[in-house]
Amino acid sequence: MRTAFISDIHANLDALEMVLADIAKQETDRIVCLGDIVGYGPDPNPCVARVRDVCEVTVVGNHDYAALGRIDTLGFNEYARAAAEWTTSALDKDSIAFLNSLPLKKVLDGMHLVHASPMDPERWTYILSYQEAKRQLGAFPEQICFVGHSHLPIVVEEEGEEIRALPFSSDVPVRIHRDRRYLVNVGSVGQPRDRDPRCGYAWYDSEARAVMMRRLEYPIANVQKKIVDAGLPPFLAQRLADGV
Ligand code: ZN
């Protein structure tokens, strides 16, 4: 079974279409979305509609919650807050209904799926240290957990007491050993933050026992223009080109 993972689309339709076109060219059995479909970008409704149509499973992200008014945006920086307010006013009835229907986490064929972190998903914890990764690896019983949220692709491998971070770069498969456990961050479709502006997604082949990241160029200037034309903060356009 080959599963493609998309996450943190952030209303960037140009990046989403590029990723979906690439997924369609591969042998892919299903697509899973790990949340943050909206927030920051200029095309929230078309992105929600595409995810609803193509994804077998979708979990909700903190920016989806913020756009629905289900969490306070006080913890957001000024750009994220301005974008959340813009998104709330832009969402149509169908998008609101779909986003409201999404679960915080899901288990699918032995894979744990959550936007931010398996331990207490509604705290939206970032997994950015070995200590945090160890805590989170103890919070789910399955062998492998897929997350998004930080927009930084990485594979964390647990072997007994030892934990190591493995690079997760484009087109380099990472082996999934039967006797080890994993936390896989699938990066971001619509707002990468690892200084590589290319849009990204990951797949997991359960027969080949491997995960792999894909990074693709997409027309960033188109999205930048739409962001500025929509009256969203220009910083949100600039960061797409910088990959931060
Ligand atoms: Zn995000």
Side-chain angles (χ1 to χ4, degrees):
M1 181 70 92
R2 215 171 198 230
T3 308
F5 293 89
I6 60 175
S7 189
D8 296 273
I9 296 149
H10 287 296
N12 183 338
L13 185 64
D14 299 68
L16 178 61
E17 292 298 355
M18 189 59 72
V19 160
L20 292 179
D22 193 67
I23 290 172
K25 282 188 261 163
Q26 325 274 336
E27 280 175 49
T28 308
D29 296 303
R30 62 184 171 200
I31 308 175
V32 165
C33 175
L34 297 175
D36 275 7
I37 304 167
V38 303
Y40 295 127
D43 287 313
N45 294 309
C47 287
V48 172
R50 285 294 269 150
V51 167
R52 187 185 55 213
D53 291 348
V54 302
C55 293
E56 189 173 310
V57 171
T58 300
V59 294
V60 74
N62 54 320
H63 283 264
D64 305 319
Y65 257 28
L68 293 168
R70 290 175 72 168
I71 53 168
D72 204 315
T73 53
L74 277 178
F76 280 26
N77 64 46
E78 59 181 300
Y79 310 109
R81 193 160 52 241
E85 283 163 12
W86 182 93
T87 305
T88 301
S89 62
L91 283 181
D92 64 27
K93 201 163 90 285
D94 290 349
S95 298
I96 292 169
F98 179 71
L99 294 175
N100 263 320
S101 74
L102 299 176
L104 279 162
K105 63 175 174 178
K106 185 101 182 171
V107 174
L108 177 67
D109 295 339
M111 304 180 292
H112 199 95
L113 313 172
V114 65
H115 178 65
S117 59
M119 181 185 281
D120 210 352
E122 242 175 312
R123 287 181 74 102
W124 315 109
T125 306
Y126 289 94
I127 308 171
L128 298 171
S129 67
Y130 283 102
Q131 199 187 8
E132 190 58 53
K134 201 173 178 67
R135 239 164 60 86
Q136 298 293 343
L137 277 156
F140 63 95
E142 293 80 17
Q143 188 199 8
I144 188 161
C145 174
F146 291 89
V147 299
H149 195 45
S150 70
H151 303 200
L152 303 168
I154 196 160
V155 177
V156 179
E157 182 179 72
E158 181 187 56
E159 186 182 11
E161 285 297 291
E162 213 180 299
I163 287 193
R164 58 185 79 91
L166 308 172
F168 201 20
S169 19
S170 191
D171 300 322
V172 184
V174 177
R175 199 173 150 204
I176 300 298
H177 297 260
R178 284 178 195 283
D179 54 348
R180 301 178 194 172
R181 296 179 70 244
Y182 296 86
L183 199 52
V184 178
N185 191 308
V186 303
S188 170
V189 171
Q191 196 195 79
R193 293 181 190 159
D194 58 351
R195 300 202 169 272
D196 178 349
R198 293 178 299 169
C199 57
Y201 76 97
W203 58 254
Y204 173 42
D205 187 325
S206 56
E207 273 90 62
R209 303 201 67 78
V211 288
M212 196 174 89
M213 194 70 203
R214 287 277 290 163
R215 300 298 287 270
L216 307 150
E217 307 268 356
Y218 74 98
I220 292 177
N222 270 0
V223 190
Q224 291 181 308
K225 184 173 184 312
K226 285 194 265 183
I227 288 173
V228 174
D229 289 350
L232 284 157
F235 167 75
L236 297 176
Q238 182 54 45
R239 72 187 299 179
L240 293 180
D242 298 337
V244 295

Short mmCIF file of all heavy atoms in Angstrom, two decimals, residues 8 10 35-36 40 62-63 115 149 151 193, ligand 1:
data_model
loop_
_atom_site.label_atom_id
_atom_site.label_comp_id
_atom_site.label_asym_id
_atom_site.label_seq_id
_atom_site.Cartn_x
_atom_site.Cartn_y
_atom_site.Cartn_z
N ASP A 8 -0.14 21.02 5.77
CA ASP A 8 0.17 22.45 5.81
C ASP A 8 0.13 23.10 4.42
O ASP A 8 1.11 23.67 3.95
CB ASP A 8 1.52 22.66 6.53
CG ASP A 8 1.42 22.20 7.98
OD1 ASP A 8 1.02 22.99 8.84
OD2 ASP A 8 1.67 21.00 8.24
N HIS A 10 -2.05 25.50 3.65
CA HIS A 10 -2.18 26.93 3.92
C HIS A 10 -2.73 27.75 2.75
O HIS A 10 -2.19 28.80 2.40
CB HIS A 10 -0.85 27.49 4.44
CG HIS A 10 -0.56 27.05 5.85
ND1 HIS A 10 -1.35 27.42 6.92
CD2 HIS A 10 0.39 26.23 6.36
CE1 HIS A 10 -0.88 26.86 8.02
NE2 HIS A 10 0.16 26.12 7.70
N GLY A 35 -3.69 18.26 7.85
CA GLY A 35 -4.23 19.49 8.43
C GLY A 35 -3.55 20.79 8.04
O GLY A 35 -2.58 20.80 7.30
N ASP A 36 -4.08 21.90 8.56
CA ASP A 36 -3.71 23.25 8.13
C ASP A 36 -3.93 23.40 6.62
O ASP A 36 -3.02 23.77 5.87
CB ASP A 36 -2.29 23.63 8.54
CG ASP A 36 -2.22 24.17 9.97
OD1 ASP A 36 -3.24 24.12 10.68
OD2 ASP A 36 -1.14 24.66 10.37
N TYR A 40 -2.96 31.79 6.10
CA TYR A 40 -1.83 32.42 5.40
C TYR A 40 -2.10 32.70 3.90
O TYR A 40 -1.79 33.76 3.42
CB TYR A 40 -0.53 31.59 5.48
CG TYR A 40 0.06 31.43 6.85
CD1 TYR A 40 0.35 30.18 7.36
CD2 TYR A 40 0.35 32.55 7.64
CE1 TYR A 40 0.92 30.02 8.62
CE2 TYR A 40 0.91 32.40 8.90
CZ TYR A 40 1.19 31.13 9.38
OH TYR A 40 1.74 30.97 10.62
N ASN A 62 -4.22 23.45 13.57
CA ASN A 62 -4.52 24.62 14.42
C ASN A 62 -5.00 25.82 13.61
O ASN A 62 -5.84 26.60 14.06
CB ASN A 62 -3.31 24.99 15.30
CG ASN A 62 -2.03 25.22 14.52
OD1 ASN A 62 -1.74 24.49 13.57
ND2 ASN A 62 -1.26 26.22 14.91
N HIS A 63 -4.49 25.98 12.37
CA HIS A 63 -4.95 27.12 11.55
C HIS A 63 -6.38 26.90 11.03
O HIS A 63 -7.11 27.86 10.82
CB HIS A 63 -3.98 27.39 10.40
CG HIS A 63 -2.75 28.10 10.85
ND1 HIS A 63 -2.59 29.46 10.76
CD2 HIS A 63 -1.63 27.63 11.44
CE1 HIS A 63 -1.42 29.80 11.26
NE2 HIS A 63 -0.80 28.71 11.68
N HIS A 115 -2.03 16.26 13.38
CA HIS A 115 -1.39 17.45 12.81
C HIS A 115 -0.09 17.82 13.53
O HIS A 115 0.95 17.98 12.90
CB HIS A 115 -2.34 18.65 12.85
CG HIS A 115 -1.71 19.90 12.33
ND1 HIS A 115 -1.32 20.05 11.01
CD2 HIS A 115 -1.34 21.06 12.95
CE1 HIS A 115 -0.76 21.24 10.84
NE2 HIS A 115 -0.76 21.87 12.00
N HIS A 149 2.79 20.44 10.91
CA HIS A 149 2.83 21.52 11.91
C HIS A 149 4.08 22.40 11.90
O HIS A 149 3.98 23.61 11.82
CB HIS A 149 2.60 20.95 13.30
CG HIS A 149 2.26 21.98 14.34
ND1 HIS A 149 1.35 23.00 14.14
CD2 HIS A 149 2.68 22.13 15.63
CE1 HIS A 149 1.26 23.72 15.24
NE2 HIS A 149 2.05 23.23 16.15
N HIS A 151 6.41 22.43 9.57
CA HIS A 151 6.79 22.68 8.18
C HIS A 151 8.24 22.29 7.91
O HIS A 151 8.86 22.81 6.97
CB HIS A 151 6.56 24.15 7.76
CG HIS A 151 5.16 24.66 7.93
ND1 HIS A 151 4.68 25.75 7.26
CD2 HIS A 151 4.12 24.21 8.69
CE1 HIS A 151 3.41 25.98 7.61
NE2 HIS A 151 3.06 25.05 8.49
N ARG A 193 9.44 25.80 5.39
CA ARG A 193 10.23 26.69 6.26
C ARG A 193 11.65 26.18 6.47
O ARG A 193 12.30 26.56 7.44
CB ARG A 193 9.54 26.85 7.63
CG ARG A 193 8.21 27.59 7.53
CD ARG A 193 7.57 27.75 8.89
NE ARG A 193 6.20 28.24 8.75
CZ ARG A 193 5.27 28.09 9.68
NH1 ARG A 193 5.56 27.47 10.82
NH2 ARG A 193 4.05 28.56 9.50
ZN ZN B 1 0.96 24.92 9.40
#
